[in-house]
Amino acid sequence: MSAAPTGETSAPGPTVRVLLADDQHLVRTGFRVILEVEDDIEVVGEAADGERAVTMTRATRPDVVLMDVEMPGMDGLEATRQITADGPGGPAVLILTTFDRDDYLFAALRAGASGFLLKNGTPEELIEAIRVLARGDGLLAPEITRRVISTFARPGDPAGTAHRGPEADAALAGLTPREREVLVLLAGGSSNAEIAASIHLGEATVKTHVSRVLAKLGLRDRVQAVVFAYENGVVRPGG
């Protein structure tokens, strides 16, 4: 999982297509102003509710959907579920969240969101988060990772199997020992470079292992790998 944005921006690459979903017009306008000064980011549409966000996502095929949670009618959580249910190749969903609503955070994780950004973040953090997701990486701030660990982990299940279903067992059985090692490091929030240093492999090789882990487990990205690992007892707090 990628480290939290530091304010440093990545080198420009292919244009990232972004859809804005927020019920407040002024908020959407502010995001558009921030994003459209970047040479590699294009805002392809705006939606004021979840239903419109789903419809516009399917029509415009953005790379990233910037999703608010509280919207009239269909909220951002249901919109995220419907967008991610369309299968591989779809856009990454970046949720705007606050720390006082853990229920939103974990519901969004289960709905398939790929990243979370605090509403009190900076424009630089927003821009870098969008670029991170467009590259195919998930993004969680360290503070949010700790909440994921404390919520999903089951310290009372030292074997890590009491709550695991047969489908998860079968998927994990398909991992090689090296891939399982990579999954554990992913769950700890390590970047590809950190994993490479830890197990003495090249970053390109690690990237291949990460891709195979996600494919074998049927996961969209690194964020979902964290959830899977903790929900299924692959790792535990302090383990």
Side-chain angles (χ1 to χ4, degrees):
M1 173 174 44
S2 299
T6 61
E8 297 180 0
T9 56
S10 303
T15 299
V16 180
R17 296 165 52 82
V18 179
L19 178 73
L20 308 176
D22 193 293
D23 63 327
Q24 297 184 44
H25 179 74
L26 287 178
V27 172
R28 298 196 309 273
T29 300
F31 286 147
R32 181 182 284 274
V33 170
I34 291 170
L35 298 178
E36 289 197 329
V37 299
E38 302 298 318
D39 293 337
D40 61 332
I41 296 178
E42 175 189 4
V43 176
V44 297
E46 300 181 18
D49 58 66
E51 183 175 2
R52 182 66 173 160
V54 174
T55 300
M56 292 192 67
T57 294
R58 292 168 178 166
T60 62
R61 308 301 297 174
D63 301 301
V64 178
V65 179
L66 185 59
M67 184 77 74
D68 188 24
V69 174
E70 293 185 331
M71 293 186 288
M74 182 189 295
D75 64 18
L77 299 177
E78 178 58 29
T80 298
R81 277 189 286 269
Q82 294 195 22
I83 289 170
T84 59
D86 286 344
V93 177
L94 176 60
I95 295 285
L96 294 176
T97 186
T98 56
F99 280 158
D100 59 350
R101 291 303 304 266
D102 279 352
D103 53 339
Y104 283 170
L105 168 61
F106 302 125
L109 274 169
R110 292 189 172 101
S114 296
F116 299 84
L117 193 68
L118 301 181
K119 285 189 174 181
N120 62 356
T122 66
E124 291 78 14
E125 288 172 337
L126 172 63
I127 291 165
E128 182 64 6
I130 288 171
R131 288 175 176 153
V132 166
L133 265 63
R135 291 197 298 265
D137 293 328
L139 183 145
L140 289 178
E143 296 88 346
I144 296 178
T145 301
R146 287 194 288 271
R147 290 193 176 214
V148 172
I149 291 171
S150 64
T151 296
F152 286 116
R154 300 181 175 90
D157 176 21
T161 58
H163 299 269
R164 195 156 66 218
E167 291 185 2
D169 277 330
L172 287 167
L175 299 181
T176 66
R178 179 64 84 187
E179 288 165 352
R180 179 130 179 172
E181 186 177 14
V182 168
L183 174 60
V184 171
L185 292 169
L186 279 177
S190 296
S191 66
N192 283 356
E194 291 166 338
I195 294 173
S198 176
I199 59 180
H200 310 293
L201 292 175
E203 284 192 52
T205 302
V206 169
K207 185 175 180 180
T208 298
H209 282 312
V210 170
S211 296
R212 288 175 177 168
V213 168
L214 297 180
K216 288 183 177 182
L217 298 180
L219 304 173
R220 290 175 56 89
D221 52 46
R222 302 162 78 96
V223 169
Q224 297 304 304
V226 173
V227 176
F228 179 94
Y230 281 104
E231 282 192 316
N232 292 287
V234 177
V235 288
R236 295 177 291 119

